[in-house]
Amino acid sequence: MADASSQLRFFRRSTLVWFLLLPILFYGLYAGMRGWLSTNLHASSSQTLTLYVAGLEELLSKYRVLPEIYAQHPTVRAMLEQPDDTDLRQRVNLLLQRYNTMSQAADTYVLDTNGLTLAASNWDQDVTFVGRNFNYRPYFLEAMSTGRGRFFALGTTSFQRGYYMSSAITNKKGATIGVMVVKVDVAAAETGWNAPDHEVIVTDRAGIVFLASRPTWLYNALGDPSSEALAELGQNRRYADKQIGRLPFEISTAAPPWQATFSPVPHDGPSYLAAHQDINDGEWQVWILANTSPILNTALAYAGTIILVITFGVVAFVSLIERRRGLLRALSVQQRARQVLENSSQELERQVEMRTADLKRTQNELVQAGKMAALGQMSVGINHELNQPLTAIRSYASNAGKLLDYGRLEEARENMSLISILSERMGDIILRLKIFARESSDERTPQILQTVINDTMRIVEPRLKKDRVKLNIDVPGPDIRVLVNNVRLEQVLVNLINNAIDALGPPDSNNPSSHQRRIDLIAIIDAKDAIVQVRDTGPGIPDDVISHLFEPFFTTKDVGLGLGLGLSISYGIIQEFGGELSAHNLPEGGAEFTFNIPLVQDEDASIARSNHDSAKQETA
């Protein structure tokens, strides 16, 4: 009986101790589980945030170089130098409209040095930028002072959010004559922000939300904006006439690894744990807000379950201890399985990164191999042109030695003369390549057209022979003088002839006469210009390609075989000469590229004729 009473007292004391320890144990389990879940949630949220940041940066980088490229277009410069020319302004309107459609930007427009919009891609819309002045916008002021500008704002005309990228437009003397602006619709990034139990916001330096997964949070600040920040917003009208409010949260510092806690005010919504990354050179902060409700509910359920299991263990210690151990073993297995899965996931990510790096290296090697193949193709022809004279020189030199031994001086002297002629020919080939390869100036001087064509022939002749292509030259007179830069005109002719050879395709070694492989280079003279035509007998230019031929980086060649810059550069060179380069298909088949260059009017021809005296007519 005493033992039973003693056991009862022990049971009662144990029960009392248990109920005293129950709240402490419960809170410890709850806090530990909450911390563990918070850490895991931070890891997954950081990965999601990194993806969102990468997507936003990719969207911005896609358009970053466009203002600088557009600013170099000669028609845009011409319009800024002649702002009253309505025809030029309409041409720039159509040009910007086409570029804007191709790049899928929000708007593209040109400002003069006073901030007035002269041309815009939305020129034909009800709400157009043409005629509006944006001299108060930082992207205009920065471009005028430093050459480029970046600014996020709500459009005062379209009332659409956009990221403005600008570049100064300069004339040939380097003076700023206007600003090219490309507006990017960054709000499109919000459509992908749909991760469960997460919210995303992007804030500026003043802490104002301008992108958000919840539209009601837009144009609200993380805290109370300073008077200086509000004054700046009013000056540059970043958010037009929007009233800047405050997010309905009390923001405080969170326990690591989180950076902040967003507590709702009033307390009628979920709390969030927040982390952020800086992008755009620290101008923006991308925040990810993780809902804490799933963490709290899971931690409570976990702690309650453990306490319930332990309580049943105290009541029925012997019978339930094994169940408790089994539960602990199951939890251990679960943790190990989760760790294995996490390790496998990390290993998979590492393998993906390695494979991606290998693919990038392979791609770069393929591009480089393509370049080397092109150089090799050119070197084969040049090597053939140099190897023949070298072989002949060795033969003549050997014969000359034997002739001298026999005292046949006249025949030996004739051999030495032939060696000198062949050496001059080799030197002429090498000199022409050196002249063509060197960097040329922008200076235009009177040049003999036939001389420039002859110099071009020295460069392309090896490839013409290699590809078995006949080049017919039809120039109406040897003394046609044009006002050009001779090296740059050679570059245009080499580009057009090489493209014509490419259009003909590789020769058929089994049946060389199965297709007429011919290129015609024809010059026609009118009152002020020399009109040059380059025709081929290839398949012609597809209709969907011909309208994009002269656009930068447009090419129909395979990766590694061309960058799409040859025709664009040629187009710009001819425009610098004061002419136009165009292309069309011939009715009888094949394509024709035509350009006009100015003739020398009432000038002294001595400079051009001095270049022509030493020129020799060569055809393939």
Side-chain angles (χ1 to χ4, degrees):
M1 191 69 181
D3 290 339
S5 177
S6 175
Q7 291 178 358
L8 182 59
R9 286 195 301 272
F10 176 77
F11 177 77
R12 289 176 177 175
R13 292 193 189 102
S14 299
T15 303
L16 179 60
V17 170
W18 167 248
F19 280 108
L20 290 175
L21 293 176
L22 181 62
I24 300 174
L25 180 60
F26 179 83
Y27 181 77
L29 291 171
Y30 167 77
M33 188 61 180
R34 183 182 61 184
W36 182 77
L37 291 173
S38 175
T39 301
N40 285 352
L41 180 61
H42 182 270
S44 62
S45 299
S46 296
Q47 293 177 357
T48 303
L49 177 60
T50 300
L51 291 176
Y52 290 157
V53 168
L56 197 54
E57 288 180 334
E58 180 182 0
L59 177 64
L60 298 180
S61 63
K62 175 182 176 182
Y63 297 92
R64 190 162 285 129
V65 299
L66 293 186
E68 299 175 7
I69 295 176
Y70 296 166
Q72 298 174 11
H73 200 286
T75 306
V76 175
R77 291 176 175 173
M79 181 200 68
L80 288 170
E81 292 174 346
Q82 305 175 52
D84 296 330
D85 191 328
T86 56
D87 180 61
L88 271 176
R89 293 177 69 167
Q90 182 59 19
R91 288 172 60 189
V92 174
N93 280 331
L94 297 174
L95 178 69
L96 296 182
Q97 188 178 47
R98 180 161 57 90
Y99 282 175
N100 197 74
T101 302
M102 292 169 56
S103 65
Q104 297 182 344
D107 296 294
T108 306
Y109 51 101
V110 178
L111 310 177
D112 64 11
T113 54
N114 296 318
L116 182 66
T117 306
L118 298 183
S121 59
N122 58 11
W123 63 275
D124 58 345
Q125 299 179 13
D126 294 336
V127 181
T128 179
F129 292 170
V130 177
R132 296 187 61 86
N133 196 300
F134 298 103
N135 60 5
Y136 56 89
R137 286 296 204 185
Y139 63 78
F140 168 76
L141 301 174
E142 291 175 5
M144 291 295 296
S145 61
T146 66
R148 58 178 296 207
R150 301 289 184 266
F151 186 63
F152 178 86
L154 184 67
T156 56
T157 302
S158 63
F159 296 103
Q160 295 180 352
R161 290 168 290 165
Y163 187 60
Y164 298 81
M165 303 178 184
S166 61
S167 176
I169 304 172
T170 58
N171 58 18
K172 293 182 179 179
K173 297 181 179 180
T176 299
I177 58 176
V179 174
M180 175 67 69
V181 185
V182 175
K183 179 182 177 182
V184 183
D185 181 14
V186 293
E190 293 174 338
T191 58
W193 294 349
N194 52 6
D197 298 322
H198 288 86
E199 302 292 347
V200 184
I201 60 174
V202 183
T203 60
D204 60 15
R205 284 185 300 177
I208 298 173
V209 178
F210 60 86
L211 292 174
S213 55
R214 288 196 179 188
T216 56
W217 290 357
L218 290 173
Y219 315 118
N220 289 286
L222 299 181
D224 293 324
S226 64
S227 56
E228 292 82 1
L230 293 176
E232 181 182 357
L233 293 178
Q235 182 179 4
N236 57 41
R237 300 192 67 195
R238 180 189 292 269
Y239 299 115
D241 299 324
K242 294 288 184 180
Q243 294 295 325
I244 305 302
R246 178 172 177 174
L247 283 176
F249 294 102
E250 185 68 31
I251 303 174
S252 58
T253 303
W258 296 97
Q259 294 166 308
T261 300
F262 283 58
S263 302
V265 178
H267 300 285
D268 56 356
S271 296
Y272 296 93
L273 289 172
H276 68 78
Q277 288 187 26
D278 294 340
I279 65 170
N280 201 21
D281 298 329
E283 293 288 328
W284 299 354
Q285 283 188 334
V286 183
W287 291 80
I288 188 164
L289 281 62
N291 192 337
T292 60
S293 298
I295 294 179
L296 301 180
N297 295 336
T298 303
L300 286 171
Y302 176 83
T305 301
I306 295 300
I307 291 297
L308 184 61
V309 171
I310 295 175
T311 301
F312 276 110
V314 172
V315 175
F317 179 78
V318 176
S319 61
L320 297 180
I321 191 66
E322 291 302 325
R323 289 186 58 188
R324 182 175 179 274
R325 289 176 180 175
L327 179 60
L328 292 176
R329 284 195 299 269
L331 290 175
S332 177
V333 171
Q334 182 182 2
Q335 290 176 348
R336 286 197 300 271
R338 183 180 292 108
Q339 186 64 40
V340 169
L341 288 176
E342 290 177 355
N343 293 338
S344 299
S345 176
Q346 294 174 358
E347 177 64 20
L348 181 59
E349 290 178 359
R350 188 181 69 84
Q351 292 292 334
V352 169
E353 291 176 357
M354 291 175 58
R355 296 297 182 272
T356 302
D358 290 341
L359 287 174
K360 289 183 178 179
R361 284 194 297 271
T362 303
Q363 183 182 22
N364 292 334
E365 291 171 359
L366 288 174
V367 171
Q368 189 62 25
K371 294 179 181 178
M372 296 307 295
L375 291 176
Q377 183 182 19
M378 180 180 291
S379 66
V380 168
I382 296 173
N383 178 65
H384 179 72
E385 288 296 308
L386 295 178
N387 194 45
Q388 284 185 337
L390 282 174
T391 303
I393 287 172
R394 286 196 296 268
S395 176
Y396 286 135
S398 176
N399 291 337
K402 294 179 180 179
L403 292 172
L404 289 173
D405 291 340
Y406 289 108
R408 298 162 65 178
L409 300 182
E410 286 300 325
E411 295 180 33
R413 186 177 292 109
E414 183 179 351
N415 278 17
M416 298 303 291
S417 176
L418 291 173
I419 290 174
S420 176
I421 292 172
L422 291 173
S423 299
E424 289 178 0
R425 178 183 175 187
M426 293 171 59
D428 184 61
I429 293 173
I430 295 173
L431 177 62
R432 193 65 251 157
L433 291 172
K434 290 174 61 179
I435 293 174
F436 182 76
R438 73 185 181 190
E439 184 177 355
S440 64
S441 65
D442 295 333
E443 182 181 1
R444 291 190 292 160
T445 57
Q447 300 289 333
I448 297 295
L449 179 60
Q450 184 66 61
T451 301
V452 178
I453 293 175
N454 291 343
D455 292 339
T456 302
M457 282 297 303
R458 294 186 178 94
I459 298 171
V460 301
E461 187 174 19
R463 189 180 178 194
L464 289 169
K465 291 181 178 179
K466 175 182 175 295
D467 288 287
R468 299 202 295 272
V469 177
K470 179 177 178 61
L471 176 61
N472 297 325
I473 299 176
D474 183 7
V475 178
D479 296 323
I480 299 172
R481 296 176 301 156
V482 290
L483 189 61
V484 295
N485 179 288
N486 62 322
V487 176
R488 292 199 172 192
L489 182 55
E490 288 176 28
Q491 183 178 2
V492 172
L493 292 173
V494 168
N495 281 339
L496 295 181
I497 293 173
N498 278 334
N499 282 347
I501 296 174
D502 291 338
L504 295 174
D508 187 352
S509 58
N510 296 325
N511 187 10
S513 62
S514 62
H515 178 67
Q516 187 178 18
R517 302 174 59 78
R518 189 185 78 249
I519 298 174
D520 297 326
L521 196 159
I522 303 170
I524 303 172
I525 307 303
D526 64 10
K528 295 183 178 180
D529 293 326
I531 302 171
V532 180
Q533 301 168 340
V534 178
R535 302 174 180 173
D536 62 63
T537 57
I541 307 170
D543 294 337
D544 59 338
V545 171
I546 197 166
S547 61
H548 302 287
L549 277 178
F550 304 112
E551 295 176 4
F553 304 107
F554 179 83
T555 179
T556 59
K557 298 179 181 178
D558 294 335
V559 174
L561 299 181
L563 294 176
L565 289 176
L567 288 178
S568 176
I569 292 173
S570 299
Y571 186 87
I573 291 174
I574 296 301
Q575 281 203 325
E576 289 178 2
F577 294 163
E580 290 290 336
L581 173 61
S582 61
H584 65 274
N585 289 318
L586 298 171
E588 64 272 17
E592 178 183 270
F593 286 80
T594 304
F595 64 85
N596 61 300
I597 47 179
L599 295 171
V600 176
Q601 301 291 334
D602 299 327
E603 294 285 344
D604 184 7
S606 60
I607 298 177
R609 287 199 178 96
S610 65
N611 295 329
H612 180 61
D613 289 340
S614 59
K616 300 178 180 179
Q617 175 71 26
E618 297 184 12
T619 59

